Amino acid sequence: MSQSIQPDRSRRSEHSRRAILEATRALVSEVGYGKVAIETIAARAGVGKQTIYRWWPSKGAVIFDAFLALSEGAEGQGAALPDTGDIEADLRTVMRTTAAEFADPEFEKPVRALNNAISNDPELAAQYREKLAGPVDEAKKERLRSAQRAGQLAADADLDLVLEVLYAPLFQRWLHRSGPLTDEYADALVDVALRAFRP
């Protein structure tokens, strides 16, 4: 008696999920956040709308997960700061990398779409803080704590403020397109932060 082979539903589901996320990123890059609709994502991914709504409650949530998938596998590079024992060199490395990412058109389009979605969706903003921003910031603060223990940052430095001094000006320049995101600019932000927070 031959045994029937059941289809692997988990593999099919994962294939569909990846197709949806890839379709979402492609559409955001091509037409922008405002013109992306669940219907167009479904058509591009080759799935039904109900498949998307089974996993995500809104267009913004799909775009968030599409962005989150971009950073999968980047943990340890994008999340944690490098630790060579020299906080100045490590900050220069990570800030130059961040500036280059934000200046890359392929990275920039989905990030702008995500920021657009977050600014209009409090629930999505909470997801962003919980799933992405919070863990990334915590990984960075762990490196800053190491620098405090080594006497390279003031022991009483507010680490949330250190991160804001480093990243907020870069983000604002990117958001408003008010200047180039260069290595020199990244280095200048590191210099300002270290002058403020060294012992």
Side-chain angles (χ1 to χ4, degrees):
M1 185 171 78
S2 65
Q3 191 173 6
S4 63
I5 298 173
Q6 295 296 320
D8 186 339
R9 291 172 189 263
S10 65
R11 181 178 296 175
R12 186 173 61 192
S13 293
E14 178 58 21
H15 175 77
S16 296
R17 189 187 76 87
R18 278 203 313 269
I20 291 164
L21 296 178
E22 288 167 9
T24 301
R25 285 195 297 271
L27 286 164
V28 165
S29 296
E30 290 167 18
V31 302
Y33 175 81
K35 293 182 180 176
V36 174
I38 293 293
E39 291 82 358
T40 54
I41 294 171
R44 176 70 65 93
V47 301
K49 281 193 303 181
Q50 69 278 9
T51 300
I52 296 178
Y53 282 120
R54 188 164 62 239
W55 291 326
W56 295 280
S58 66
K59 177 179 80 170
V62 183
I63 288 176
F64 171 75
D65 274 2
F67 175 78
L68 193 61
L70 269 183
S71 61
E72 284 176 1
E75 250 174 78
Q77 296 173 15
L81 272 64
D83 191 349
T84 66
D86 180 343
I87 190 62
E88 181 174 350
D90 293 344
L91 287 177
R92 286 182 191 278
T93 296
V94 79
M95 292 305 294
R96 285 181 175 207
T97 300
T98 302
E101 280 181 349
F102 275 79
D104 180 348
E106 289 308 306
F107 183 85
E108 180 188 35
K109 288 175 184 175
V111 177
R112 282 196 185 276
L114 177 67
N115 277 277
N116 190 343
I118 285 171
S119 66
N120 294 298
D121 187 336
E123 188 176 320
L124 189 63
Q127 280 187 54
Y128 173 76
R129 286 192 302 273
E130 178 190 343
K131 292 184 181 178
L132 188 62
V136 167
D137 282 352
E138 187 52 40
K140 290 173 180 174
K141 283 192 281 189
E142 187 51 44
R143 174 64 187 96
L144 298 178
R145 290 186 193 103
S146 173
Q148 286 178 313
R149 291 190 292 270
Q152 297 176 352
L153 285 179
D156 62 350
D158 180 332
L159 299 186
D160 289 308
L161 187 57
V162 175
L163 292 180
E164 286 180 14
V165 169
L166 284 166
Y167 287 93
L170 188 150
F171 181 76
Q172 180 170 311
R173 179 176 280 209
W174 169 79
L175 187 65
H176 297 295
R177 306 180 196 271
S178 57
L181 300 177
T182 61
D183 286 351
E184 291 75 19
Y185 181 66
D187 289 349
L189 294 177
V190 173
D191 291 343
V192 167
L194 289 180
R195 278 201 298 272
F197 295 107
R198 278 196 191 280

